[in-house]
Amino acid sequence: MIFRVAEESIFLLHALWIGVLITLVYDGLIIFRGAVPHNSFGIALEDMGFWFFCAIYVFVWLHRESSGTLRWYAVAGALLGMWIYKKTLSKVLVKLGTRILQKVLEVLRKFLRLITAPLRFMKRKTKILHTKMQRSRKKLLGNCKIKLKSFAKALKIRLCK
């Protein structure tokens, strides 16, 4: 009997932990969304994927721990774990995590801009060169057209004489 109570207590603690873990992972998504802007379609896809994998994780856990039997106190334990985490650590971790991720991404953007500076410089110079070549080609073709017209006119005059 005592052994059974200990098993059930451990099971309840696991349920609490799973509630905390699910909410912690979702806070990770919130942190990511705070640092990287998302549209509503992207958020919906992320949420669907998150809840799909959570459902699979909880199903596998229940199957392993209680032979697939749904125990309502496990659901209550998971909800209690979620609620405790949300009321204690969630806000602080989300704010801190979002700031840290924003700073990391800012440093990464600056680093990538530094690395790609020669490529951007070459792109700019190539574009300028291309524009100049286009103008020169148009000017050359325009001059050739004028010369060909005057040559054709002179040839016509000579042939007609």
Side-chain angles (χ1 to χ4, degrees):
M1 181 68 178
I2 295 174
F3 182 69
R4 183 76 181 152
V5 171
E7 276 183 17
E8 299 300 321
S9 298
I10 290 172
F11 184 74
L12 181 61
L13 288 175
H14 283 180
L16 284 166
W17 171 245
I18 284 186
V20 169
L21 186 64
I22 287 172
T23 312
L24 181 68
V25 171
Y26 194 75
D27 278 352
L29 275 177
I30 292 171
I31 289 168
F32 181 66
R33 291 173 188 165
V36 179
H38 284 62
N39 61 14
S40 57
F41 181 72
I43 291 172
L45 279 178
E46 286 175 356
D47 281 347
M48 282 179 21
F50 169 77
W51 287 113
F52 176 74
F53 286 112
C54 282
I56 289 173
Y57 181 76
V58 169
F59 175 78
V60 169
W61 172 73
L62 279 172
H63 184 67
R64 190 180 66 235
E65 293 285 326
S66 65
S67 302
T69 306
L70 179 62
R71 298 180 184 174
W72 288 105
Y73 71 91
V75 174
L79 290 173
L80 181 63
M82 290 176 173
W83 183 79
I84 289 171
Y85 171 78
K86 269 300 197 191
K87 291 298 180 183
T88 56
L89 296 173
S90 181
K91 287 181 183 178
V92 174
L93 287 179
V94 168
K95 281 184 183 179
L96 184 65
T98 303
R99 284 184 193 154
I100 289 171
L101 187 57
Q102 285 173 338
K103 293 293 182 188
V104 167
L105 290 176
E106 184 180 323
V107 168
L108 188 61
R109 279 187 206 107
K110 286 180 181 179
F111 180 70
L112 287 174
R113 282 195 60 78
L114 182 68
I115 288 176
T116 59
L119 293 174
R120 286 183 282 116
F121 175 77
M122 291 299 293
K123 181 182 173 187
R124 241 185 350 263
K125 291 300 181 185
T126 305
K127 190 174 181 180
I128 291 170
L129 181 64
H130 182 265
T131 304
K132 286 182 179 179
M133 288 175 65
Q134 285 287 82
R135 287 182 193 147
S136 297
R137 186 179 63 90
K138 283 181 182 179
K139 195 183 246 185
L140 180 65
L141 288 175
N143 288 341
C144 286
K145 189 175 177 182
I146 291 170
K147 287 184 180 184
L148 281 173
K149 277 186 179 180
S150 66
F151 178 74
K153 193 175 188 181
L155 184 64
K156 199 179 211 182
I157 291 173
R158 283 192 182 185
L159 289 175
C160 290
K161 282 187 180 183

